[in-house]
Amino acid sequence: MLSAVLRSAAVVAVVVAAQFSLVLDAPQPASAMESNGGVRVMPLGDSITDGASVPGGYRVGLWNRLAAAGVRADFVGSRANGPTSLGDHDHEGHPGYRIDEVDAGVVDWIRAANPRTILLHIGTNDIIQNRDLANAPARLSALIDKIRANAPLAELFVATLIPSADADREKKTVAYNSELRGVVAWKGPLTHLVDEHSAVPPSALTDGTHPSAAGYDAMATAWHAALASVPSSLTPLTTPPADATGLLSNPRSGRCLNVMYSSTADRAATTLWECHGGDNQRWTRTASGELRGIGGKCLDVYGASTANGTRLIMFPCSGAANQRFVFRPDGAIVGLQSGRCLDLFQNGTGNGTVPQLWDCNGGANQVWSSR
């Protein structure tokens, strides 16, 4: 009887501690964010991503493995924590969060961080809270769709949940993981399954839910193997693949190249606008260098002009030189005909800023990122 009471007390203590952590573990200010210019990797999830019980969690082992392999990784996210042995502390792990709560924030997090690669481990708190588990796979599916809409070219790695020491929760975890595998299988070639459930032994848990140092290191091993199996996930994306559809964002502003009012009319204007992943922000680069957008029309330099200040419009695709662009490794998009760069008027960063041609100068208002 006494042992049962003590076990119950321990469970209460863990829950209270987790809730206290959720209140105090606030996002870090932008000044705390770190960047080394490497491939942008977003660790996304709950307290297991945050590193409950072991500061930095799996991120420590993953960072060290990537560094040892010669990969320059830039962990990104609105939060930051972990030991000095972790080379980059940024992440998007939110203690206590369920799938729906990650879903509510993920668009803003993607807009702010512009990740090349996303590592998703989510669903543990849905099981702990017994939150409509029959529909948890559907919520996960919707979350993946939202990520894919806002980062169409990102490599997304979705992990099965690690084990639980509680028999009932483990049964639910196994059932959820089974459905998760089916969900991931239908999400296209840029969405990948990572089997973290098999990677972490139940003996490597500190409180029945969170891994020990050995458990987190096992997670790191599995993440690293998955990333290494998809080399593009560890390479910054400077030029979108031919015939691939994605967004074009300006990192300085966090906003995207946009066709005003979703118009499909000839000469429809383009602007900078808050990224939302709609059809009027989706661009397909062709092998000839066209950028095809909404209505199948092409990004076009108005009047085939080569002068500074010429605006960009939408026009029926013709294959002409004023509709062909070159992506440079420094993030510049250069008009083939003019040799000038896609530039944001007067260094603007707000909604409605007009894109134009201008002499290439390496400014932040001439840098674009594909995602």
Side-chain angles (χ1 to χ4, degrees):
M1 176 67 177
L2 179 58
S3 62
V5 171
L6 290 175
R7 284 197 300 272
S8 297
V11 170
V12 171
V14 168
V15 171
V16 170
Q19 292 173 337
F20 189 66
S21 172
L22 179 59
V23 172
L24 293 184
D25 198 12
Q28 298 293 310
S31 59
M33 302 299 103
E34 301 161 320
S35 177
N36 60 11
V39 60
R40 300 173 69 80
V41 178
M42 176 183 281
L44 174 62
D46 50 33
S47 58
I48 293 172
T49 298
D50 176 83
S53 75
V54 178
Y58 73 73
R59 294 177 284 119
V60 178
L62 177 57
W63 172 270
N64 290 332
R65 285 168 172 80
L66 290 171
V71 175
R72 187 169 64 166
D74 178 11
F75 286 175
V76 297
S78 63
R79 309 174 65 79
N81 59 23
T84 56
S85 58
L86 175 55
D88 190 325
H89 299 83
D90 302 336
H91 66 94
E92 210 64 76
H94 297 262
Y97 272 33
R98 302 181 305 267
I99 298 168
D100 62 307
E101 291 169 309
V102 169
D103 184 278
V106 75
V107 172
D108 287 340
W109 301 333
I110 288 174
R111 287 173 183 165
N114 195 30
R116 170 72 180 105
T117 297
I118 300 171
L119 311 179
L120 177 63
H121 182 277
I122 194 66
T124 299
N125 290 302
D126 294 74
I127 291 172
I128 290 174
Q129 299 173 27
N130 202 32
R131 174 67 175 239
D132 186 20
L133 294 183
N135 289 309
R139 293 195 297 276
L140 176 68
S141 180
L143 170 59
I144 292 173
D145 289 345
K146 184 174 284 189
I147 292 171
R148 291 262 57 106
N150 286 275
L153 298 178
E155 301 283 0
L156 172 61
F157 294 80
V158 183
T160 56
L161 298 184
I162 65 171
S164 172
D166 179 271
D168 181 59
R169 288 180 185 169
E170 175 61 5
K171 182 178 179 181
K172 294 171 181 176
T173 296
V174 169
Y176 172 81
N177 284 342
S178 178
E179 295 291 331
L180 178 151
R181 288 180 168 86
V183 167
V184 172
W186 285 97
K187 297 304 180 181
L190 299 182
T191 304
H192 317 279
L193 179 70
V194 183
D195 190 1
E196 292 287 7
H197 188 269
S198 297
V200 180
S203 60
L205 301 173
T206 59
D207 56 7
T209 299
H210 299 99
S212 63
Y216 277 124
D217 199 58
M219 289 189 73
T221 298
W223 282 125
H224 181 250
L227 290 168
S229 72
V230 184
S232 58
S233 70
L234 297 175
T235 305
L237 185 62
T238 55
T239 302
D243 300 321
T245 300
L247 310 186
L248 293 173
S249 67
N250 169 245
R252 179 190 186 191
S253 64
R255 291 181 165 86
C256 283
L257 183 62
N258 175 90
V259 180
M260 283 192 68
Y261 309 119
S262 297
S263 175
T264 58
D266 290 356
R267 300 181 180 83
T270 61
T271 62
L272 190 69
W273 203 265
E274 183 175 293
C275 301
H276 52 68
D279 288 345
N280 63 322
Q281 293 187 348
R282 298 170 75 87
W283 303 91
T284 302
R285 186 183 75 87
T286 68
S288 64
E290 297 169 319
L291 286 171
R292 297 191 175 221
I294 189 169
K297 293 184 177 173
C298 279
L299 187 67
D300 178 286
V301 179
Y302 183 72
S305 173
T306 60
N308 281 336
T310 305
R311 59 193 174 94
L312 284 297
I313 62 169
M314 302 301 292
F315 208 70
C317 299
S318 65
N322 68 316
Q323 293 185 351
R324 295 163 67 189
F325 300 87
V326 175
F327 285 73
R328 292 195 329 207
D330 62 0
I333 300 177
V334 182
L336 183 66
Q337 181 185 41
S338 66
R340 290 190 163 95
C341 281
L342 182 57
D343 173 284
L344 293 170
F345 180 68
Q346 294 187 340
N347 291 297
T349 59
N351 284 339
T353 299
V354 176
Q356 62 178 3
L357 281 187
W358 202 264
D359 291 331
C360 299
N361 56 36
N365 65 322
Q366 293 185 351
V367 176
W368 300 87
S369 177
S370 305
R371 72 163 188 254

